[in-house]
């Protein structure tokens, strides 16, 4: 039997748990700082997301505990006759909860949110060395379609 899973928009008091989820990852372990008190930039970022109708920071809860997170962005565009795109980012499932299908349920829920907003497509990016994540998305029917590029402008302190 699968665990009950509820999705909701994040609240400021969720930030310590969300930053801990971000830090509980081999690729972002040194990048994020879950120590308390949290760096004020986390709250500033949360407030910017929370104040933008085209951004949602989503929490996945099971039995009252935060077990996952992601950010949904709704992007307007001129291409495809003015189509909107949904973008899924920062998908994380707590290490102790992985392998139980929660990630699949979370991504499926996100796709439905994008569909409800009238998006023509949903996109996400995944680092090249996240082979397990690529397999996960491909098993859900996602296809690799583009190469991504990043230009770092500033390093976090």
């Amino acid at each position: 039997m699968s665990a009950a899973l509820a999705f909701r928009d994040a609240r400021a008091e969720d930030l310590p748990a969300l930053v801990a989820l971000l830090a509980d990852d081999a690729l972002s372990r040194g990048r994020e700082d879950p120590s308390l008190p949290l760096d004020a930039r986390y709250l500033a970022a949360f407030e910017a997301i929370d104040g933008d109708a085209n951004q949602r920071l989503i929490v996945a809860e099971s039995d009252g505990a935060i077990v996952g997170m992601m950010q949904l962005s709704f992007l307007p565009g001129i291409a495809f006759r003015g189509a909107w795109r949904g973008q899924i980012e920062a998908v994380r499932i707590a290490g102790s909860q992985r392998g139980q299908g929660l990630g699949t349920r979370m991504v499926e829920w996100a796709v439905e949110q994008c569909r409800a907003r009238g998006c023509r497509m949903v996109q996400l990016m995944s680092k090249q060395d996240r082979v397990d994540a690529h397999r996960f998305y491909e098993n859900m029917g996602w296809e690799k379609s583009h190469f991504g590029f990043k230009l770092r402008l500033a390093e976090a302190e």
Side-chain angles (χ1 to χ4, degrees), residues 133-148:
H134 300 174
R135 187 171 28 259
F136 167 77
Y137 291 116
E138 288 170 340
N139 287 338
M140 290 187 69
W142 292 72
E143 63 181 57
K144 290 182 183 177
S145 63
H146 293 73
F147 287 103

Side-chain angles (χ1 to χ4, degrees), residues 28-40:
S28 58
R29 194 163 285 127
R31 182 182 69 206
E32 305 301 339
D33 180 9
S35 63
L36 298 176
L38 286 179
D39 187 309

